[in-house]
Amino acid sequence: MEERGAYRCVECSREAAELYRDYRHGVLRIAVCKSCQKPVDKYIEYDPVIILINAILCKAQAYRHILFNTKINFHGKLYIFCLLCEAYLRWLQLQDSSQSTDPDDLIRYAKEWDFYRMFGIASLEQTSFLVGIFIALWWRRPKMLKTKSDFILLLKALLLSSYGKLLLIPAVIWEHDYTPLCLVFIKVFVLISNSQAIRVTLNLNRVFPWLAIFFGLILENGVVCLVQKIGWDV
């Protein structure tokens, strides 16, 4: 993998020295890739909304623009907020599962401990999912994750590509008969985004990222079974 400091062509993923050239007086010229002879990054002229739409559509060019040619450093905060959304959903389902009208039960479920527990379980499950992906990638393609910067870049890509979990809150607030189906679609969308992030970051084909995700899901489900054996609701 190339050094992180270089830009990347959004079309062919080759390294580029610059995205555009400034001729002063407001005259800019987008750099052309020496490999594919296309603009290195056409998205630098696009509105952020258009870039977001392209990212939602899981276009590889949009992912390369975000991961390689921009300085986005809020991936950690975004991921924590996603975990909070998932914890809130589980906490809400835990309350709904209790049909007791005993005031003591209502007070017990209102305690913050239940929410913190759900947040801890969600964090543990997601950590095991990410660890499973890294193990699968390192086992099959160790040359792609040789340096610390390679791990950091892939982790950043996986965290950013999990933004779909933000949709959990609207799905719960506007609850209807199709809410369970919406939650399934959100899960599938996040997995598709994760797969695209792996493919773009490591420049892989479409199949291998799904194998790594499958291994991550196996490890995640193993943690879920372990938590359930302890007696905790998930």
Side-chain angles (χ1 to χ4, degrees):
M1 184 183 295
E2 292 89 351
E3 291 296 324
R4 176 66 188 92
Y7 297 111
R8 296 283 188 89
C9 173
V10 298
E11 302 294 340
C12 65
S13 194
R14 292 296 180 89
E15 186 178 356
E18 57 184 1
L19 298 179
Y20 61 88
R21 183 162 297 180
D22 187 356
Y23 292 97
R24 298 182 181 180
H25 305 293
V27 179
L28 301 177
R29 181 181 178 183
I30 298 179
V32 176
C33 177
K34 297 179 180 179
S35 177
C36 65
Q37 301 302 316
K38 294 181 179 180
V40 172
D41 192 345
K42 60 185 179 181
Y43 287 101
I44 60 177
E45 293 185 317
Y46 286 22
D47 188 88
V49 176
I50 303 299
I51 298 174
L52 178 60
I53 293 175
N54 279 260
I56 294 175
L57 295 175
C58 292
K59 290 190 176 183
Q61 295 90 337
Y63 273 65
R64 292 190 184 104
H65 166 77
I66 294 172
L67 293 174
F68 298 116
N69 300 337
T70 59
K71 296 180 180 179
I72 296 180
N73 296 316
F74 58 81
H75 50 282
K77 295 179 181 179
L78 173 65
Y79 196 68
I80 291 176
F81 189 72
C82 289
L83 287 177
L84 288 172
C85 292
E86 189 166 350
Y88 175 75
L89 173 63
R90 298 184 183 198
W91 178 76
L92 202 61
Q93 291 174 338
L94 184 65
Q95 285 187 309
D96 292 340
S97 64
S98 176
Q99 301 298 325
S100 175
T101 58
D102 191 337
D104 292 336
D105 287 339
L106 294 177
I107 293 175
R108 178 165 59 88
Y109 280 112
K111 290 182 177 180
E112 295 181 0
W113 160 248
D114 288 321
F115 177 79
Y116 293 147
R117 182 163 58 89
M118 292 298 105
F119 179 79
I121 293 175
S123 302
L124 182 61
E125 291 178 9
Q126 194 60 38
T127 300
S128 62
F129 173 70
L130 296 175
V131 169
I133 291 178
F134 277 102
I135 291 176
L137 292 173
W138 182 82
W139 178 51
R140 297 296 298 178
R141 303 287 179 86
K143 294 183 179 180
M144 292 186 174
L145 298 173
K146 295 184 295 184
T147 64
K148 181 180 178 180
S149 60
D150 295 337
F151 280 97
I152 293 176
L153 179 59
L154 181 57
L155 179 61
K156 176 182 177 181
L158 288 170
L159 297 183
L160 285 175
S161 62
S162 298
Y163 68 93
K165 291 185 178 181
L166 297 176
L167 299 173
L168 291 173
I169 296 301
V172 173
I173 293 177
W174 291 289
E175 185 176 2
H176 50 73
D177 295 337
Y178 296 102
T179 296
L181 183 61
C182 291
L183 298 179
V184 172
F185 281 137
I186 292 172
K187 178 67 174 179
V188 172
F189 174 73
V190 171
L191 293 178
I192 293 174
S193 299
N194 291 155
S195 173
Q196 187 72 314
I198 297 173
R199 187 173 78 91
V200 168
T201 305
L202 302 179
N203 200 21
L204 299 171
N205 56 35
R206 295 180 182 274
V207 177
F208 190 73
W210 280 108
L211 296 177
I213 288 177
F214 180 71
F215 189 82
L217 289 174
I218 292 177
L219 194 59
E220 179 184 356
N221 287 319
V223 171
V224 171
C225 293
L226 181 61
V227 172
Q228 289 176 341
K229 285 185 177 180
I230 296 176
W232 287 358
D233 295 322
V234 295

